[in-house]
Amino acid sequence: MNICFISTFFEGATIPFAKHLHDLGNKVSMFFLAREGETEAENLSFGKEVGGYGITALSEENSMYKYIDKAVSINVAPYRLCGKRSLKGLIGYLKNEVVLRKITEKLLSEKYDVIYINVNEEWDSRLCSILKRKRFRNVVIAYHEILRNHVSDRRLKNVVVKTMNLGFPIITYSENTARTLRKECPNIDVKTIYFGPFETYSLFDVSVPIINEQYSLFIGIIQPYKGLGFLYDAIIKNPELIKNKIVIAGAGDDSVLEKIKHDNRFILINRFLKDEEFANLVKYASCVICPYVNGSQSGITHTAMMFGTPVIATKVGAFEEFIEQGENGMLVDNGDTRALAECISYYENEHNANFFVPEKLKWKNIAKKAIAFFEQFSKTNRPHALLQQ
């Protein structure tokens, strides 16, 4: 099959997906939309600042081609943050329209069997609408996230509302997200296809640990729904169980950070992390802790699997789909501080996950499932680009 991926963000999940589809004998292309002026995205360096109005193919000398075959085409195009209520915003909107038109022209010129669009941002949904208007039949849309906010605003994101009724097949990356979408729209047809370990983290040199002592790790953008307060309570209420330091790493804010700053049981790195720092901290941690109070799914688990680092998580969102108890981590009830502390203590004593990855999360199995879906979809949507006029 000839498959095209289009995505804003989520390079860490999309690139391994493309690689394993290619390894099964399929032709694969990728188009990433990147903010104007950026030089890199998740695990992917562009080589120079993204700009202009065109589509740029990454050089075969790009470091990503140490991971993926050079026959896989990786392209980048710019987008601008915009709003049409100001002159600057209107200009940005018009520039985005030029870029989307060029992408559409490229899609028209190629005979793709499947155009797979990760719908995350406004320009992603805009592209879906353009392709619908041009009567494309070979489009599949995928949602990483469907809610505006996990805690304070559980309404569907605008981009989901704008695209879910276009008639294109819909994929989500967890049954939890699929159930949430079906609850909001009972008659909607949704297919779950998981993503596997974020293998592109293997490109980074992590031979020397950043922190030269044993530690457990909380990592990622710090937001209240991620339960940092729950983790803090587990540590201070069970001091006899926890021997090692707890590293808190990532940009963001939470009211409990002020207490953590003055507590020598913690090491706080409260800033944006480079990809290589992220990989290094995850690799050498005794365990990664995800004490979320709410959420959908998390890429933290899939990064940890890459390094065989066990994950301790609450029974919220899709963690129960990704973690097999005692195999690649532990699950605890939200609010059970004793259970959380006991799990941290367990992994402090050098128990590990032995690089265990559940069968359903292995990329070769995901790719085979995706191809079966694409083939069925393609058979019912001939000719493979446009509707007959």
Side-chain angles (χ1 to χ4, degrees):
M1 300 190 78
N2 190 2
I3 304 165
C4 174
F5 285 92
I6 301 173
S7 186
T8 308
F9 313 125
F10 300 108
E11 292 85 359
T14 304
I15 294 173
F17 195 5
K19 175 190 185 300
H20 287 273
L21 288 170
H22 172 76
D23 289 348
L24 290 178
N26 300 284
K27 183 179 179 181
V28 184
S29 301
M30 288 179 282
F31 295 85
F32 292 111
L33 285 158
R35 187 172 177 179
E36 185 177 36
E38 287 184 333
T39 59
E40 59 184 16
E42 186 178 310
N43 300 181
L44 179 64
S45 171
F46 303 138
K48 61 180 180 180
E49 288 189 0
V50 177
Y53 303 94
I55 302 167
T56 303
L58 297 192
S59 164
E60 290 187 355
E61 303 304 314
N62 191 281
S63 60
M64 187 55 67
Y65 284 115
K66 296 177 182 178
Y67 166 72
I68 199 168
D69 193 285
K70 292 181 179 180
V72 177
S73 174
I74 306 176
N75 307 274
V76 62
Y79 71 80
R80 287 87 178 170
L81 296 177
C82 61
K84 292 182 282 186
R85 295 184 179 179
S86 67
L87 179 58
K88 182 179 179 180
L90 178 60
I91 292 172
Y93 174 85
L94 294 174
K95 288 181 177 180
N96 287 346
E97 286 290 299
V98 172
V99 173
L100 291 179
R101 187 181 69 211
K102 290 191 175 183
I103 292 174
T104 303
E105 290 171 354
K106 180 69 174 177
L107 298 179
L108 283 166
S109 68
E110 297 287 338
K111 294 190 179 298
Y112 293 115
D113 296 291
V114 176
I115 298 170
Y116 187 111
I117 304 177
N118 281 314
V119 177
N120 307 300
E121 302 296 333
E122 191 67 32
W123 34 89
D124 302 323
S125 66
R126 174 66 180 146
L127 177 60
C128 290
S129 297
I130 292 171
L131 298 185
K132 179 66 175 181
R133 190 178 70 243
K134 290 187 174 294
R135 302 169 67 82
F136 275 72
R137 295 181 61 178
N138 56 343
V139 176
V140 174
I141 59 178
Y143 301 134
H144 277 265
E145 182 53 75
I146 63 170
L147 298 176
R148 296 186 187 185
N149 186 287
H150 300 299
V151 179
S152 62
D153 190 350
R154 294 187 62 81
R155 291 178 295 169
L156 294 176
K157 292 174 65 174
N158 288 336
V159 294
V160 174
V161 173
K162 289 179 179 179
T163 55
M164 66 183 182
N165 293 318
L166 291 176
F168 297 135
I170 296 172
I171 288 173
T172 60
Y173 295 101
S174 71
E175 282 296 330
N176 172 71
T177 301
R179 284 193 299 269
T180 304
L181 190 57
R182 292 188 190 107
K183 183 178 179 181
E184 296 291 332
C185 313
N187 297 321
I188 201 165
D189 186 18
V190 184
K191 177 78 169 179
T192 295
I193 296 179
Y194 293 112
F195 48 85
F198 290 172
E199 294 177 344
T200 52
Y201 277 103
S202 66
L203 293 170
F204 300 110
D205 181 2
V206 292
S207 57
V208 179
I210 294 172
I211 297 176
N212 293 309
E213 60 180 303
Q214 288 192 328
Y215 61 90
S216 301
L217 177 67
F218 174 104
I219 194 166
I221 297 174
I222 299 173
Q223 294 177 306
Y225 80 88
K226 293 189 175 181
L228 188 54
F230 170 32
L231 172 59
Y232 180 78
D233 288 343
I235 303 305
I236 65 170
K237 290 180 179 179
N238 302 280
E240 76 283 3
L241 290 177
I242 309 301
K243 300 175 184 177
N244 299 337
K245 292 290 180 70
I246 307 294
V247 174
I248 310 297
D253 191 29
D254 190 299
S255 59
V256 76
L257 283 174
E258 195 59 37
K259 297 177 182 177
I260 288 172
K261 288 177 184 177
H262 304 288
D263 192 324
N264 62 13
R265 288 169 290 193
F266 295 86
I267 297 174
L268 179 61
I269 309 172
N270 191 200
R271 58 172 174 78
F272 178 79
L273 300 171
K274 296 179 181 178
D275 288 332
E276 54 265 37
E277 293 177 306
F278 197 101
N280 193 297
L281 290 169
V282 171
K283 175 178 172 60
Y284 291 102
S286 298
C287 62
V288 177
I289 310 163
C290 296
Y292 292 20
V293 299
N294 213 318
S296 55
Q297 64 245 344
S298 173
I300 301 296
T301 50
H302 296 70
T303 306
M305 283 179 211
M306 182 61 216
F307 296 107
T309 305
V311 176
I312 303 169
T314 46
K315 298 174 185 177
V316 302
F319 285 120
E320 291 180 273
E321 298 176 58
F322 300 152
I323 297 173
E324 294 191 10
Q325 193 77 349
E327 297 288 349
N328 59 343
M330 295 283 192
L331 293 160
V332 300
D333 291 321
N334 179 32
D336 190 340
T337 55
R338 184 70 181 182
L340 180 56
E342 287 174 345
C343 288
I344 296 170
S345 176
Y346 175 82
Y347 286 120
E348 280 186 341
N349 294 311
E350 299 184 11
H351 298 280
N352 61 67
N354 294 317
F355 291 81
F356 176 85
V357 178
E359 285 296 315
K360 66 185 178 184
L361 301 182
K362 290 181 178 178
W363 277 116
K364 64 178 182 179
N365 296 331
I366 293 168
K368 288 177 181 177
K369 182 177 180 180
I371 286 299
F373 173 68
F374 293 159
E375 287 177 345
Q376 180 184 20
F377 158 67
S378 185
K379 286 177 183 177
T380 59
N381 287 277
R382 299 292 184 183
H384 61 221
L386 304 178
L387 280 168
Q388 291 178 326
Q389 300 297 318

